[in-house]
Amino acid sequence: MKPIIGGGSPPASAEVQFLTVGEESAGQRLDNFLIRVLKGVPKTHVYRIIRSGEVRVNKGRASADARVALGDVVRLPPVRRSEAAAAKAEKPAPPREFPLLFEDEHLLAIDKPAGVAVHGGSGVSFGVIEQLRQARPASKFLELVHRLDRETSGILLVAKKRSALTRLQDQFRERETGKTYLALVAGAWPANRKVIDQPLHKYLQGDGERRVRVVAKDDPDGMRSITLVKVAQRFSLPPPLAEGGGGGAPAAREATLLEVTIKTGRTHQIRVHLASAGHPILGDDKYGDFDLNKALVRQGLRRMFLHAWRLQFDHPATGERVSLQAPLPAELQKFTDHARIPPPPVRPDRL
């Protein structure tokens, strides 16, 4: 039986397979290693073959939390993928490259467009990472460092080595990165409101869709969430909206561009925090002003105005601070160009 070098997905087979652990998988837990290479095999089956001793590492039994090392030979028993996984393998994601902001041998940073999921799942057959892997077949390792909502554009990091992945994820977990977004919200955001410190609770709706809401500080299900807000610019929306064509005259007449920095990375954190403050993000189809959103479509805003604008982190290999910036997408820039900047208020002593 020929050994399979590198750790790619083995074919469905009635024979024993052998995988030699490559650099891209060194240091990974055995269970996670198998889940990755045995795509389409249920996790319960993966853990069963580990517990039963059918999986061997260098001819010996190993536990699920054991770490595989470079050069280890992992023995796999005969396994079969699900029909869904087999069908997916026959129709892989279309290859696609995305605008590059940074790339070296350790990681790459792309400017993700809105409307593209970062990975497949939840009704989406593929996302950024699957398309990148198809576009770069020679890359042995490509993994998402963090996530962005499908509707959000901007900076997304992808690790090209496992060591880079773990070091970068540690920085995100320990809040050592600087993540700043641009969000255009309805209404005039108070300049003196700079911190939102409200717990968030994630739940499922009756149809199974994920949602998030603000809860009381003593709620046992609440996760502390901190968002910093800075007013960047104030706008008057185009005339049809200023005349009350959206969800209420006060919200429709004005809009505020905010620089939003998150100190915690909760699901939908920015969207829920801003909406709970009475200033939803324009175009947000989950937490926004739906009547206003309909009017905005007629003015050319057909997506949520939320963009991952700036990201700072320590390079996983050199330790040097890296600062990246993604300009506003053309469709968002065009919308703000057509919005009017209101004149400054006239001081009483100049009347």
Side-chain angles (χ1 to χ4, degrees):
M1 289 170 286
K2 291 184 178 181
I4 301 173
I5 306 298
S9 298
S13 173
E15 296 183 352
V16 169
Q17 302 286 329
F18 291 89
L19 301 180
T20 300
V21 177
E23 180 183 358
E24 69 281 1
S25 299
Q28 193 172 24
R29 282 174 51 125
L30 177 60
D31 53 356
N32 292 333
F33 172 77
L34 295 180
I35 289 167
R36 181 169 65 87
V37 300
L38 295 176
K39 290 182 175 65
V41 177
K43 289 184 181 181
T44 53
H45 186 68
V46 170
Y47 285 104
R48 187 188 66 76
I49 60 177
I50 294 174
R51 288 194 303 269
S52 68
E54 295 175 82
V55 174
R56 298 292 179 111
V57 179
N58 300 327
K59 299 183 180 181
R61 295 178 69 128
S63 61
D65 60 356
R67 303 279 176 174
V68 295
L70 179 65
D72 281 352
V73 177
V74 181
R75 174 196 182 275
L76 298 180
V79 291
R80 294 286 180 184
R81 294 184 192 153
S82 68
E83 292 181 6
K88 186 176 180 180
E90 292 177 3
K91 293 182 179 180
R96 180 179 178 182
E97 289 281 1
F98 297 87
L100 274 174
L101 300 171
F102 177 89
E103 183 173 13
D104 63 11
E105 62 183 308
H106 302 278
L107 72 144
L108 61 92
I110 66 167
D111 189 354
K112 185 190 86 68
V116 181
V118 295
H119 59 74
S122 300
V124 179
S125 57
F126 60 84
V128 168
I129 192 64
E130 290 86 2
Q131 291 186 287
L132 274 177
R133 288 168 181 162
Q134 289 296 321
R136 298 172 173 232
S139 298
K140 295 182 178 180
F141 186 91
L142 289 173
E143 294 287 348
L144 292 167
V145 174
H146 60 117
R147 307 284 192 269
L148 286 179
D149 288 348
R150 182 177 181 178
E151 302 87 350
T152 304
S153 56
I155 303 171
L156 181 68
L157 294 186
V158 177
K160 298 169 71 174
K161 292 187 176 183
R162 181 156 300 280
S163 57
L165 177 67
T166 55
R167 289 167 188 166
L168 288 168
Q169 286 183 333
D170 285 344
Q171 291 184 52
F172 276 86
R173 189 179 305 110
E174 298 300 322
R175 306 175 190 175
E176 296 171 351
T177 59
K179 294 187 289 183
T180 302
Y181 294 71
L182 292 177
L184 187 63
V185 301
W189 184 274
N192 62 353
R193 182 160 196 187
K194 299 180 180 181
V195 181
I196 303 174
D197 184 356
Q198 295 177 314
L200 297 176
H201 170 58
K202 185 164 56 176
Y203 66 98
L204 294 179
Q205 295 189 134
D207 58 2
E209 191 166 353
R210 180 180 57 181
R211 284 288 192 277
V212 178
R213 62 171 173 254
V214 169
V215 295
K217 291 190 180 293
D218 59 354
D219 191 307
D221 295 322
M223 300 288 289
R224 190 180 184 190
S225 307
I226 302 173
T227 301
L228 307 183
V229 182
K230 177 183 177 182
V231 173
Q233 199 169 8
R234 298 189 186 277
F235 294 93
S236 287
L237 295 174
L241 297 177
E243 293 167 6
R253 279 200 301 266
E254 297 178 273
T256 311
L257 184 66
L258 302 175
E259 294 180 16
V260 184
T261 301
I262 54 175
K263 291 299 183 180
T264 51
R266 311 300 182 202
T267 300
H268 297 170
Q269 176 176 327
I270 295 175
R271 300 164 70 172
V272 176
H273 268 173
L274 298 183
S276 69
H279 299 273
I281 298 174
L282 301 188
D284 188 344
D285 64 356
K286 287 185 171 65
Y287 308 99
D289 182 327
F290 305 128
D291 290 334
L292 176 57
N293 289 345
K294 289 178 183 178
L296 290 167
V297 170
R298 297 194 294 272
Q299 297 297 328
L301 186 64
R302 296 177 172 84
R303 54 159 290 194
M304 178 172 64
F305 203 121
L306 181 61
H307 178 67
W309 172 50
R310 195 166 56 201
L311 179 64
Q312 296 175 319
F313 58 92
D314 294 334
H315 192 280
T318 67
E320 294 182 7
R321 195 68 171 172
V322 179
S323 182
L324 303 176
Q325 188 166 311
L328 269 181
E331 69 274 14
L332 299 187
Q333 186 64 57
K334 182 178 179 181
F335 182 79
T336 58
D337 288 345
H338 284 81
R340 302 191 310 276
I341 302 174
V346 178
R347 288 169 49 184
D349 59 355
R350 295 185 180 178
L351 291 175

